[in-house]
Amino acid sequence: GFASIVKAVMPNIVMVQATGKVKGQQYNYIGSGFIIEGNYIVTNAHVIGTNPNQITVRFESSIDEKTYMVKPVYVESGYDLAILEFTGLAKNKFSGLEHLTLRLDPAFGEEAYTVGNPKGFDFSVSKCVISNPKREYKYRDVDEVIQIDMTVNPGNSGGALLDMNNNVLGVITFYPGGINGGIAMCIPSKYIVNILNKL
């Protein structure tokens, strides 16, 4: 059932923490992320901030208890996406990892889910349906988002929107202002593909 689907994806899910400084002010951000081909970690650009001096990721403790340093490879603030990668020995350690596949065709009413870090409650599983797979919505340089009926909180950002075969449909990114729950927006996977093509 659903629990075994979630268990299968867990080795590819990370919680992201970033510290940095903007205008002399220290920041400490948390979010979610996931591993795709090439052992790249995908998250939202706003999760790592504009000037990170340290970004770390960690896995669910039953999978790996270590914390790993990662570095940004590519940040596309127009899409609110960041690609990170492991450094040093960890790069070799994770090179053989099964990775998540991107899928570009979400459907109305399809079941989906995420594993995230809402308000710092890490590795929280949330299930939803796709309310609208192609919602016209202007967000930065993105013109079309996936609308889901999930309540998201700060810390869910950067998490994978997964289908029931653990393909990545998009990235949980924001909820419209003034919403009390049940509407969240995701950057579709096609925007990740655009970035990977530049790499």
Side-chain angles (χ1 to χ4, degrees):
F2 182 52
S4 59
I5 295 171
V6 174
K7 187 179 181 193
V9 89
M10 277 300 193
N12 290 282
I13 304 296
V14 293
M15 299 296 117
V16 182
Q17 187 160 14
T19 54
K21 246 185 189 160
V22 174
K23 295 177 182 158
Q25 290 292 316
Q26 193 75 22
Y27 68 78
N28 184 10
Y29 294 158
I30 58 163
S32 314
F34 56 95
I35 299 171
I36 56 165
E37 60 186 295
N39 293 308
Y40 290 126
I41 300 158
V42 180
T43 189
N44 282 131
H46 77 256
V47 166
I48 64 167
T50 48
N51 189 25
N53 58 25
Q54 182 176 297
I55 309 169
T56 58
V57 300
R58 57 196 176 77
F59 293 85
E60 205 274 315
S61 59
S62 68
I63 289 154
D64 193 326
E65 292 186 341
K66 287 202 185 89
T67 297
Y68 295 94
M69 302 280 284
V70 295
K71 61 174 203 266
V73 184
Y74 197 92
V75 179
E76 181 63 79
S77 58
Y79 297 164
D80 197 0
L81 291 174
I83 308 286
L84 316 172
E85 71 176 358
F86 293 100
T87 59
L89 293 173
K91 205 168 176 175
N92 300 336
K93 177 173 178 174
F94 295 110
S95 62
L97 191 72
E98 285 277 320
H99 56 256
L100 298 176
T101 306
L102 304 172
R103 192 186 130 207
L104 307 178
D105 59 341
F108 275 104
E110 180 177 356
E111 284 190 302
Y113 78 101
T114 193
V115 184
N117 198 1
K119 299 278 193 183
F121 291 104
D122 60 356
F123 298 97
S124 298
V125 179
S126 306
K127 203 172 179 186
C128 64
V129 298
I130 291 172
S131 308
N132 190 311
K134 292 187 167 161
R135 171 69 66 202
E136 280 183 35
Y137 196 101
K138 186 73 184 141
Y139 175 75
R140 302 191 185 192
D141 297 340
V142 172
D143 296 315
E144 182 186 281
V145 295
I146 303 169
Q147 180 190 333
I148 55 175
D149 72 336
M150 186 187 285
T151 299
V152 306
N153 286 284
N156 275 121
S157 290
L161 178 67
L162 296 154
D163 70 12
M164 290 299 141
N165 294 309
N166 284 337
N167 297 306
V168 178
L169 299 169
V171 182
I172 314 277
T173 301
F174 70 101
Y175 50 89
I179 294 287
N180 286 328
I183 296 183
M185 303 300 192
C186 310
I187 303 297
S189 282
K190 68 179 180 183
Y191 292 98
I192 304 174
V193 173
N194 288 354
I195 293 176
L196 292 178
N197 289 339
K198 293 177 187 173
L199 294 174

